[in-house]
Amino acid sequence: GRGVLPRAMAPLGAYRCIECNGEATELYRDYQRGVLRISICKSCQKPVDKYIEYDPVIILINAVLCKAQVYRHILFNTKINIHGKLCVFCLLCEAYLRWLQLQDSSQNTDPDDLIRYAKEWDFYRMFGIASLEQTSFFIGIFITLWWMTPEMLKRKSDFVLLLKALLLSTYGKLLLIPAVIWENDYTPLCLVFIKVFVLISNSQAIRVTLNLNRILPWFAIFFGLIFENGVVCLFQKMGWDV
């Protein structure tokens, strides 16, 4: 099956070539009567976006493989606006994992209402901690990129696009739930792989959004992790149970 074809014509620079990141005014041309022709990039002489004809399942598989082309397709050539909901759902998955690990460590089976309310509060606390850590991580990334490449983040729209890319690239956290449901001896290793996959996806999102080399996004992620751990340590020294 074919993917959903976006609007054919748009202002200059509204779309991007998925191969060379060049600007394009259209993704395809409609010759009517069902005859469509994918536009060719003027810079690299390749199709601007071949993924507009691909099935969503194929696009998802390529996204899992962290291909830069499919990231450009999603970020620049589609109108996906699920980043907010996806972020909340991923945080809920992470909070559930932490809450489950906390319950396993407590081993309290008391059915008393007070205990149940305490466990529910623990889940909300885990959600708050996960949100704090992710926010700190993103702030660390933004500070690093703004310091090292200020010309790439001049406008508010640049920050918004990068934030959207980072939120979408955390989709790997959805794998936390099946990893916990089908728990086995290899679950801790699976959780490590999921963490690494999310970081790789974050790196690719930064690289594609700002058109950077491979090293700088990883430097930003490294500083983001340091900033995240620093904020957590600060709250712990303040007496917060983080």
Side-chain angles (χ1 to χ4, degrees), residues 11-26:
L12 180 62
Y15 300 119
R16 298 284 183 89
C17 171
I18 64 171
E19 300 293 341
C20 69
N21 201 42
E23 295 182 347
T25 58
E26 59 183 2

Side-chain angles (χ1 to χ4, degrees), residues 3 7 32 66 87 116 118 166-167 171 174 178 181-182 188 207 242:
R7 187 162 49 93
Q32 299 180 348
C66 292
C87 172
R116 288 202 300 271
L166 286 171
L167 292 175
Y171 70 93
L174 298 177
I181 293 176
W182 290 292
R207 179 188 167 213
V242 176

Side-chain angles (χ1 to χ4, degrees), residues 63-134:
V64 171
L65 294 175
C66 292
K67 290 189 175 182
Q69 292 89 341
V70 77
Y71 275 67
R72 292 191 184 101
H73 164 75
I74 293 171
L75 292 172
F76 298 118
N77 299 338
T78 62
K79 304 298 180 183
I80 294 179
N81 290 309
I82 62 169
H83 48 282
K85 295 178 182 178
L86 179 63
C87 172
V88 173
F89 195 71
C90 288
L91 289 173
L92 287 172
C93 292
E94 191 167 353
Y96 177 74
L97 172 64
R98 298 184 181 201
W99 177 79
L100 206 60
Q101 292 173 336
L102 185 66
Q103 301 311 308
D104 290 342
S105 62
S106 64
Q107 295 296 326
N108 195 328
T109 58
D110 194 332
D112 186 81
D113 286 344
L114 185 61
I115 299 298
R116 288 202 300 271
Y117 290 143
K119 289 183 177 181
E120 184 178 348
W121 166 248
D122 282 337
F123 176 78
Y124 295 136
R125 184 166 62 88
M126 292 299 107
F127 180 81
I129 292 173
S131 302
L132 172 66
E133 290 181 354
Q134 179 163 294

Side-chain angles (χ1 to χ4, degrees), residues 41-54:
C41 177
K42 296 180 180 178
S43 300
C44 65
Q45 302 302 313
K46 294 181 180 180
V48 172
D49 191 347
K50 62 184 179 181
Y51 286 109
I52 61 175
E53 288 194 315
Y54 280 33

Side-chain angles (χ1 to χ4, degrees), residues 127-144:
F127 180 81
I129 292 173
S131 302
L132 172 66
E133 290 181 354
Q134 179 163 294
T135 301
S136 303
F137 176 61
F138 285 172
I139 290 175
I141 289 176
F142 275 105
I143 291 174
T144 307

